[in-house]
Amino acid sequence: MYSNEEYLLELLTESGLIADRDLQQAKTTKKPTETLLECLIKTGVVSDEQVAQTVAVNSGMEYVDLNGFAVNPSLKGLVPMEVAQRYKVVPIGINGTALQVAVADPYDFETLDSLPHVLQPDLEIFCSTPALIKTVQANIYGNEIFGDAVTKSGGGASDGDAPIIKLVTNTLMEAFKNGTSDIHIEPLEKDVRVRFRIDGVLNDVEHHPKRLHSSIIARIKIMCGSMSIDEKRVPQDGRIQMAFNGKELDMRVSVIPTNNGESVVMRVLDKSSLRLGLSDLGFLSDDQDTFEKLITLPDGIVLVTGPTGSGKTTTLYACLNFINRPDRKIITVEDPVEYELAGINQVMVKEDVGMSFGAALKAILRQAPNIIMIGEIRDLETASIAIEASLTGHLVFSTLHTNDAPGSVARLADIGVKPFLIASAVRGILAQRLVRKLCSECKQPSGLSERELRSLGLEASQLFNATIMGPNGCNKCRQRGYKGRMVIAEIFKVDDEVRNMINQQLTTPQLRKRARELGMRTLREDGVRKVLAGMTTAEEVIEATMADGE
């Protein structure tokens, strides 16, 4: 009710409004869910108004009686509903350029410090009772104040909302319209830069005056609901869930302090990717057939490798969608759980309470799953449990951070896994990268330069039956020439011969050479096929597969 109730009770006692015997009686009669002050007000020892007036006098604020307060509809737009709800505040008037508001708890210093940032700097703050504040909120916002808002975690914005609310909301809406995967809000020396990552490429889209920076960050923190507005010294993480044009949108938010102020990155979690099949990811038919055979084996480990941002998690989800049936129990261990998958049990890692990957894996093995997905194999404990599970009849999916598929063998050995266990457990490894797809509406015939031919290992004669295409630009792709991304992949199958090589502890180059002799295509070779098919460009493939060209 009040953030400093003990001090307030002392004030009320000193002023003679309550006696020691009243306090003692309240201690014996109050309900477990009540505070002492609530009990005193309920039993009529002291009134709401007397408490609020005492608070106002001792905090240097003016008390305002909101009984019968006439609602001015224009005030609604000056204090957004989510701000009113979170800070227990209502707008009550305008005095020149100053916005007049009433608060329920003048001892809540976080609220008093935050309001100038989330509303406007020129404020006149009054005190009223919590009950009257709620009544006026209900009169101003109607049913909205009970949570029927656009933003699930922190409220939404309407046409009448304050300028900062509109600015942030418009930025988010524009990002969604453009198919943005990450929104970057970065404080520079003299302004605030907003960038969108679209199809893997950062685009500079907006610059705002530096004076707006703290208000923009405060608004984003409010939308997250779990972040402290006043804490600016340490990183914070949160989540925003919104509805836009009937579509549910989800963002993972990271705030970190920099030398110019707090920087924000909002990762847009596109739930439409949950419905993607392997063919939607960009696999050509032969690779898709090979990979489908791997992920439908009864046991063993299937790994997906690549750097951060290469689409590994999306590929794993596509695998789970492909093999998910009512007669199979699938459990995932993730850090964090980004998407909820229908019909699949998902466990989130929580290191602070001892729920590590290893601890979670030990627990879920007692749940008798058929299939296990581990977000990432990071250490020997996780790897050992995953291998044990695969050798006892479970199919295990996971990821590793390696540059290519054969390199995963050395990576597992580096963290302490014995070669014979790697050979026994691993069934196949997929290495992947993402390249931008040419827009199907506006791509146009193109050619390859001598440099591109050399980089891709092609001869001019190999282009006779090819369909080389290049970017153009249209309204569908917003003049970029590209729309969406797809996988280029190499699939390393672990057969009997490869198992023998792993047991003999052959080096990664030796494994790679033998795998290619057995038919494995490299990342660049798969990219070349997609360039020749007119799906992407040589530039995209060369940039994504620099290591292959060395």
Side-chain angles (χ1 to χ4, degrees):
M1 188 176 183
Y2 288 97
S3 55
N4 198 342
E5 185 178 287
E6 185 177 348
Y7 173 63
L8 181 52
L9 288 171
E10 289 181 12
L11 290 177
L12 294 169
T13 303
E14 290 173 2
S15 65
L17 290 171
I18 60 174
D20 288 339
R21 65 178 180 275
D22 298 320
L23 279 174
Q24 295 305 318
Q25 179 68 22
K27 287 178 181 178
T28 60
T29 59
K30 79 177 189 69
K31 296 178 180 179
T33 56
E34 285 181 331
T35 67
L36 279 173
L37 185 55
E38 287 170 336
C39 181
L40 289 165
I41 292 172
K42 186 183 72 173
T43 56
V45 174
V46 67
S47 70
D48 259 341
E49 288 76 10
Q50 288 173 317
V51 174
Q53 287 167 1
T54 301
V55 169
V57 169
N58 285 275
S59 62
M61 280 188 189
E62 182 179 341
Y63 173 76
V64 58
D65 185 356
L66 295 178
N67 271 307
F69 177 74
V71 175
N72 182 347
S74 65
L75 296 177
K76 177 180 177 180
L78 299 177
V79 178
M81 180 273 299
E82 74 276 7
V83 174
Q85 189 174 30
R86 176 166 179 166
Y87 295 105
K88 300 181 179 64
V89 61
V90 289
I92 58 174
I94 298 288
N95 181 18
T97 60
L99 171 63
Q100 297 175 317
V101 297
V103 298
D105 184 4
Y107 298 138
D108 184 355
F109 299 116
E110 180 180 350
T111 287
L112 299 184
D113 290 341
S114 300
L115 287 178
H117 297 295
V118 298
L119 296 176
Q120 64 180 55
D122 194 4
L123 286 178
E124 291 182 6
I125 302 179
F126 297 81
C127 174
S128 193
T129 71
L132 288 173
I133 293 284
K134 285 185 178 180
T135 299
V136 175
Q137 283 181 338
N139 290 337
I140 292 177
Y141 303 100
N143 290 332
E144 292 178 58
I145 202 67
F146 300 108
D148 189 17
V150 175
T151 308
K152 295 181 181 178
S153 49
S158 63
D159 290 341
D161 284 339
I164 291 297
I165 310 295
K166 284 186 176 181
L167 185 151
V168 173
T169 301
N170 289 340
T171 297
L172 299 182
M173 296 304 100
E174 191 63 26
F176 298 143
K177 291 176 185 176
N178 279 275
T180 302
S181 62
D182 301 284
I183 305 165
H184 296 250
I185 300 178
E186 304 160 321
L188 305 179
E189 184 179 356
K190 296 181 179 179
D191 61 3
V192 180
R193 177 174 65 181
V194 179
R195 295 192 289 175
F196 296 165
R197 189 182 298 278
I198 303 170
D199 294 337
V201 179
L202 273 174
N203 299 268
D204 204 331
V205 293
E206 290 179 313
H207 284 256
H208 301 302
K210 189 64 179 283
R211 59 183 171 81
L212 298 181
H213 173 253
S214 61
S215 297
I216 292 171
I217 301 302
R219 167 59 183 162
I220 292 169
K221 288 181 176 180
I222 288 173
M223 295 178 75
C224 287
S226 59
M227 291 188 184
S228 169
I229 292 176
D230 295 328
E231 180 56 76
K232 301 178 181 180
R233 300 163 299 173
V234 298
Q236 297 188 67
D237 294 307
R239 200 155 188 163
I240 296 174
Q241 293 177 296
M242 299 182 67
F244 175 57
N245 287 345
K247 180 180 179 182
E248 284 197 8
L249 302 168
D250 202 353
M251 286 171 285
R252 200 169 72 199
V253 183
S254 170
V255 178
I256 189 169
T258 72
N259 59 326
N260 288 315
E262 291 179 291
S263 176
V264 176
V265 175
M266 292 179 277
R267 183 181 180 191
V268 181
L269 305 176
D270 184 5
K271 294 185 178 181
S272 64
S273 64
L274 300 182
R275 298 185 295 273
L276 294 178
L278 295 175
S279 58
D280 299 316
L281 299 181
F283 287 100
L284 295 179
S285 58
D286 53 350
D287 279 345
Q288 183 173 333
D289 289 343
T290 299
F291 194 54
E292 285 178 359
K293 289 175 182 176
L294 284 176
I295 66 175
T296 52
L297 291 171
D299 55 29
I301 296 178
V302 177
L303 296 171
V304 180
T305 78
T308 300
S310 60
K312 299 186 296 296
T313 301
T314 300
T315 297
L316 286 181
Y317 282 158
C319 292
L320 296 183
N321 282 333
F322 182 79
I323 60 179
N324 188 16
R325 295 202 315 253
D327 62 338
R328 291 173 173 171
K329 179 159 186 173
I330 303 175
I331 303 182
T332 74
V333 183
E334 304 171 66
D335 182 18
V337 173
E338 293 187 349
Y339 304 99
E340 292 185 5
L341 299 169
I344 293 175
N345 301 275
Q346 295 173 269
V347 177
M348 184 165 72
V349 169
K350 294 181 180 178
E351 297 280 358
D352 56 335
V353 296
M355 187 67 140
S356 63
F357 271 110
L361 277 171
K362 288 177 183 176
I364 67 174
L365 285 175
R366 294 192 287 271
Q367 296 283 311
N370 302 105
I371 298 160
I372 301 169
M373 187 193 94
I374 307 168
E376 181 185 351
I377 292 179
R378 303 178 177 182
D379 51 40
L380 179 58
E381 180 188 19
T382 307
S384 298
I385 299 170
I387 287 173
E388 180 185 348
S390 71
L391 295 176
T392 54
H394 302 85
L395 180 60
V396 179
F397 295 99
S398 191
T399 69
L400 275 178
H401 285 283
T402 60
N403 287 328
D404 63 359
S408 298
V409 174
R411 172 63 183 146
L412 289 172
D414 286 343
I415 63 177
V417 182
K418 301 297 184 184
F420 77 91
L421 290 175
I422 301 172
S424 301
V426 177
R427 298 289 182 264
I429 304 167
L430 168 75
Q432 68 177 55
R433 300 290 188 276
L434 294 177
V435 295
R436 289 186 293 173
K437 292 190 293 186
L438 286 165
C439 174
S440 59
E441 294 293 317
C442 66
K443 63 181 180 182
Q444 57 187 7
S446 182
L448 298 178
S449 67
E450 287 296 325
R451 181 191 67 83
E452 290 171 333
L453 285 170
R454 286 196 304 273
S455 297
L456 297 179
L458 291 173
E459 300 289 340
S461 59
Q462 294 176 265
L463 305 183
F464 290 141
N465 295 320
T467 310
I468 308 297
M469 306 295 282
N472 185 18
C474 65
N475 291 335
K476 182 178 179 181
C477 64
R478 297 182 182 268
Q479 308 305 321
R480 290 190 294 267
Y482 297 90
K483 188 169 178 62
R485 291 188 289 175
M486 65 179 175
V487 164
I488 56 173
E490 65 180 28
I491 302 175
F492 180 43
K493 293 185 294 182
V494 180
D495 57 15
D496 289 340
E497 184 171 349
V498 172
R499 287 190 189 93
N500 289 332
M501 291 190 289
I502 294 174
N503 280 322
Q504 294 167 23
Q505 300 184 41
L506 268 62
T507 64
T508 297
Q510 291 172 313
L511 284 176
R512 187 173 182 80
K513 178 181 178 183
R514 185 55 184 150
R516 294 194 65 185
E517 290 171 353
L518 294 172
M520 183 190 81
R521 270 186 295 270
T522 67
L523 288 163
R524 178 158 291 187
E525 287 167 345
D526 187 47
V528 167
R529 293 200 299 165
K530 289 163 183 174
V531 170
L532 297 178
M535 301 166 70
T536 187
T537 62
E539 181 183 3
E540 284 290 305
V541 171
I542 292 168
E543 184 175 348
T545 59
M546 286 293 186
D548 269 10
E550 294 175 357

